[in-house]
């Protein structure tokens, strides 16, 4: 069976950046399982997997626009240290959920200088070219319930 809309796909992957550094991998774990066409993985990788079958191996390069987007400078802000009430020590790399006019947003602390904290609301991989080495482990038809819910159920998916 080929990967198409409403297929359940399980695949192993290694993700590297342009410098060849491994950013993530399924090595030593279960394959990543998703419902094709439901927006469960980044669009660029989903396009590359379309039409493939179990056993296929491929390399996919995904540009930022079809990955985690371009870096948005307006999502980097300086905020006063007292915005982190109840947090004893604020350090670079820490993540917090900020309440914005558009709803909740995960931000990462990038710098702390005196009473000023710089936070970045961009995804950590925004603006990066992503390189995937993929091996497709399984492709099957999704159940009607999986299609209705927009995600995989059972092994590798959501248990209800």
């Amino acid at each position: 069976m080929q990967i198409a809309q409403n297929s359940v796909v399980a695949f192993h992957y290694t993700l590297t950046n342009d410098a060849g550094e491994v950013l993530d991998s399924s090595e030593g774990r279960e394959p990543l399982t998703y419902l094709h066409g439901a927006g469960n993985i980044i669009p660029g990788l989903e396009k590359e997997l379309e039409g493939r079958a179990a056993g296929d191996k491929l390399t996919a390069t995904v540009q930022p626009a079809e990955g985690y987007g371009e870096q948005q400078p307006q999502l980097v802000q300086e905020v006063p240290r007292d915005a982190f009430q109840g947090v004893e020590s604020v350090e670079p790399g820490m993540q917090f959920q900020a309440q914005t006019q558009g709803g909740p947003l995960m931000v990462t602390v990038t710098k702390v200088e005196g009473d000023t904290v710089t936070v970045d609301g961009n995804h950590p991989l925004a603006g990066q070219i992503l390189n995937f080495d993929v091996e497709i482990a399984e492709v099957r038809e999704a159940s009607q319930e999986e299609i209705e819910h927009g995600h995989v159920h059972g092994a590798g998916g959501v248990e209800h």
Side-chain angles (χ1 to χ4, degrees):
M1 176 177 182
Q2 289 186 318
I3 297 173
Q5 182 74 25
N6 296 328
S7 299
V8 171
V9 182
F11 67 96
H12 284 286
Y13 68 94
T14 297
L15 168 61
T16 58
N17 60 18
D18 268 357
E21 300 166 319
V22 174
L23 303 175
D24 194 13
S25 177
S26 65
E27 187 175 331
R29 301 183 306 194
E30 293 294 315
L32 176 65
T33 304
Y34 77 99
L35 177 62
H36 194 79
N40 298 153
I41 64 172
I42 59 173
L45 182 56
E46 192 167 61
K47 285 180 187 175
E48 292 287 333
L49 297 178
E50 183 89 23
R52 305 291 184 146
D56 285 358
K57 294 180 181 182
L58 66 135
T59 300
T61 299
V62 177
Q63 297 299 316
E66 291 195 300
Y68 293 97
E70 297 293 345
Q71 193 80 7
Q72 297 180 45
Q74 70 272 22
L75 293 179
V76 178
Q77 296 185 349
E78 291 183 346
V79 296
R81 168 64 180 90
D82 61 13
F84 298 87
Q85 291 179 357
V87 180
E88 195 170 307
S89 177
V90 178
E91 303 289 334
M94 294 176 85
Q95 292 188 312
F96 296 91
Q97 183 170 309
Q99 297 303 322
T100 70
Q101 291 177 344
L105 176 69
M106 286 301 297
V107 297
T108 303
V109 175
T110 58
K111 184 168 51 172
V112 180
E113 286 184 336
D115 290 334
T116 302
V117 178
T118 304
V119 296
D120 187 346
N122 286 288
H123 187 281
L125 298 178
Q128 293 191 40
I129 295 171
L130 307 174
N131 302 293
F132 291 89
D133 285 320
V134 175
E135 181 176 357
I136 300 167
E138 180 185 355
V139 180
R140 67 169 174 82
E141 286 186 36
S143 70
Q144 189 58 44
E145 184 179 45
E146 289 171 321
I147 294 168
E148 289 169 6
H149 288 195
H151 57 250
V152 177
H153 291 170
V158 176
E159 299 286 346
H160 286 288

